[in-house]
Amino acid sequence: MTDTAIAWDTYSRQRPERRPTNAAGETTWFNWTAYPDHGPGAELLETPAGGRVLDLGCGKGGNAAHLATLGMRAVGVDVSPQQLVAARERWGWTPGLQLHQADAISFLREDREGFAAVYSVYGAVWFTDPARLLPAIRERLRPGGRLVFSQRPPVEGCYGCQASYIPRGADEDPLVVKR
């Protein structure tokens, strides 16, 4: 398992489960931000029902599940086995939702169908080398498709989830993942 997968598995154990409903009483919803019930929704993707969308770094699957309930063919990809176990437990019954364990670039290289939209909410777009990821997305994004993403502000002197999501003591090097 890669250091990134280990870091996301660790993060998964720390993160609370998504609430059963949002402030509007909905059982599925889209969150672009770290703040509950804040920000725009799925309309940023400009993808109609039936459109195939890719969530790069889907985590526990809430956003992809919401898109599937809107009639989109939602594909979620995550490197973390634990995140995907949680996603399947909560959303595995959702028609139109597919969940895959893979790194973003490998998945994009193997896909042959393409996507109407690719999105990432604090996911692979934030943590993957853009010189490798962006060309792979471009190859799979259909003409007129959209790439939409959100991410946290940078952490000075750090890169990736190992530095920003895993709690560490003041004396620990934020760039080293300990096993």
Side-chain angles (χ1 to χ4, degrees):
M1 189 177 319
T2 66
D3 286 348
T4 301
I6 292 166
W8 283 114
D9 278 354
T10 302
Y11 171 75
S12 178
R13 288 189 297 271
Q14 299 169 17
R15 180 130 170 103
E17 294 301 317
R18 191 174 201 162
R19 299 168 293 154
T21 60
N22 67 5
E26 300 162 321
T27 57
T28 67
W29 63 93
F30 205 98
N31 256 1
W32 286 104
T33 73
Y35 306 102
D37 307 321
H38 177 265
E43 70 275 4
L44 291 181
L45 301 175
E46 292 187 356
T47 302
R52 189 167 184 245
V53 296
L54 176 61
D55 186 343
L56 290 175
C58 68
K60 295 182 180 178
N63 288 333
H66 177 67
L67 297 177
T69 66
L70 297 177
M72 295 177 206
R73 295 184 302 141
V75 178
V77 175
D78 205 285
V79 72
S80 166
Q82 287 190 343
Q83 294 271 60
L84 290 169
V85 165
R88 288 183 180 107
E89 285 175 1
R90 179 140 183 206
W91 310 109
W93 55 268
T94 309
L97 176 64
Q98 296 178 359
L99 299 168
H100 301 274
Q101 183 186 352
D103 72 83
I105 293 171
S106 296
F107 184 84
L108 285 161
R109 286 182 178 155
E110 293 172 13
D111 179 76
R112 294 292 166 243
E113 193 174 339
F115 298 94
V118 175
Y119 69 95
S120 176
V121 179
Y122 305 120
V125 169
W126 187 17
F127 300 116
T128 305
D129 178 1
R132 295 176 60 224
L133 181 64
L134 295 178
I137 291 172
R138 190 174 98 213
E139 288 294 317
R140 296 298 172 249
L141 197 56
R142 294 185 186 138
R146 298 190 99 185
L147 167 61
V148 185
F149 60 93
S150 62
Q151 64 189 50
R152 291 177 54 184
V155 176
E156 187 175 337
C158 299
Y159 180 77
C161 63
Q162 299 88 346
S164 59
Y165 276 138
I166 308 303
R168 302 197 181 280
D171 62 335
E172 291 183 274
D173 179 356
L175 299 176
V176 177
V177 174
K178 296 182 178 158
R179 294 180 187 183

